[in-house]
Amino acid sequence: MDMDKDLDDEKPDELLLGTPKPGSGKWASAIRIFDVKSLKSFELLELEDNEAAVSLCTCVFHDRAGESFLCVGCVKDFQLQPKIAGTGTIHVYRFLEGGTKLQFLHKTPVENVPGAMASFQGRLIVGIGKALKIFDLGKKKLLRKCENRGFPSQIVHTECQGDRIIVGCMADSFFVVKYKKMENQFYIVADDVVPRWITSGVMLDYDTIAGSDKFGNIFI
C-alpha cells in the first residue's frame, strides 16, 4: 500500500514521457526578449486568459519621433481543428531600458484572427481574417485608417518594400498590393495564377518573392 502511494505521488519525468499536452484550445503563449549570443533573457511576459500569440512585428509610428513599438496579434480560445477562434486582439508594447524591457500600452479588439502584420510607412498593416487593414497609434487603442476586404482566404503573411505590399493568403498564394495615399485605398495589382497553400514567404528584392507551401514545396 505504501509503495503504491509513493508511486502515485511521484511526478512523471518529462525527459522520458514528454511534456503533458493541455488539450485542444488551450494555450500558454509568452513574449520573451533575449540576447542571441548569450541566450540571456531580459524580459518574459506570459499572456493571460488563454490567449495565443499568432503574429508580431516592431513598428515605428510616424508621429512618435522614431520610437519603436512592439505589436503582437493574439486570439483567445483558439482551436485549430476544427478551426474556432474567440476574440482577436492586438497588443502594443513600448520598449524601455534600451530595448530590454517592455511596457504594456493597450490592446485593440479585432473581429478575426490577426494572422500577419508589418510596419508600413509609419503605420501598422495587419491581415485580420480575409481583410487587410492599416492602423495608426492612438492613446487608448489602435485607430483604423484603411482596409480592403477583397482577399479570398485568411491572410497569413504580409511584407512591405516602398509602396509595394506582399500579401500571402492561406489557400491562394501571394498578391501584390499597392496603397494610394491620396485616395487612402488598397489596390490589388497582381496575383499568382497557381493557388498555393502558403506557410511562409519573403521578399528577396523589390520584384522577387520566395515562398513555401504546406506540401513542402519552395518556389520563387
Side-chain angles (χ1 to χ4, degrees):
M1 296 293 293
D2 292 337
M3 183 178 294
D4 292 339
K5 184 178 180 180
D6 292 340
L7 290 175
D8 292 338
D9 293 339
E10 185 179 352
K11 293 183 179 180
D13 188 348
E14 292 187 3
L15 294 177
L16 297 176
L17 302 178
T19 304
K21 295 183 178 180
S24 179
K26 302 296 181 182
W27 298 87
S29 291
I31 304 167
R32 184 190 298 269
I33 300 177
F34 67 96
D35 184 89
V36 294
K37 294 183 179 179
S38 65
L39 300 182
K40 177 184 176 182
S41 293
F42 299 114
E43 181 76 294
L44 177 63
L45 299 178
E46 296 183 354
L47 300 182
E48 301 177 349
D49 298 329
N50 198 34
E51 285 188 314
V54 293
S55 60
L56 83 165
C57 76
T58 57
C59 184
V60 179
F61 292 95
H62 62 89
D63 58 348
R64 291 303 178 115
E67 183 180 4
S68 183
F69 293 84
L70 176 66
C71 303
V72 183
C74 302
V75 59
K76 186 178 179 181
D77 302 328
F78 189 37
Q79 186 173 317
L80 295 174
Q81 188 64 34
K83 190 172 182 180
I84 300 173
T87 304
T89 54
I90 301 173
H91 297 212
V92 180
Y93 299 86
R94 171 183 278 123
F95 287 103
L96 300 176
E97 300 180 20
T100 60
K101 298 293 181 182
L102 292 173
Q103 178 189 14
F104 175 75
L105 292 183
H106 52 62
K107 63 180 177 180
T108 304
V110 293
E111 71 276 8
N112 211 318
V113 179
M117 57 178 60
S119 179
F120 176 68
Q121 297 182 1
R123 291 177 173 177
L124 179 67
I125 188 168
V126 188
I128 301 174
K130 299 179 182 180
L132 186 68
K133 303 187 179 187
I134 284 182
F135 291 92
D136 211 342
L137 185 66
K139 292 183 178 180
K140 295 184 178 180
K141 66 176 184 178
L142 292 171
L143 308 175
R144 180 172 55 87
K145 297 298 183 180
C146 173
E147 69 176 41
N148 184 316
R149 296 180 175 269
F151 296 92
S153 57
Q154 181 180 337
I155 296 173
V156 295
H157 178 80
T158 58
E159 194 170 357
C160 310
Q161 283 192 21
D163 62 348
R164 181 170 293 179
I165 305 165
I166 302 300
V167 176
C169 288
M170 179 179 289
D172 297 276
S173 196
F174 291 108
F175 294 80
V176 179
V177 180
K178 282 207 170 186
Y179 172 70
K180 293 190 177 181
K181 190 173 182 179
M182 296 297 294
E183 302 174 17
N184 194 32
Q185 291 287 335
F186 287 122
Y187 292 94
I188 298 174
V189 296
D191 61 4
D192 193 347
V193 296
V194 180
R196 307 176 192 269
W197 287 75
I198 297 298
T199 56
S200 63
V202 64
M203 293 184 72
L204 301 180
D205 55 44
Y206 192 73
D207 298 312
T208 311
I209 310 165
S212 61
D213 62 28
K214 73 173 188 177
F215 303 107
N217 301 310
I218 298 175
F219 54 91
I220 298 176

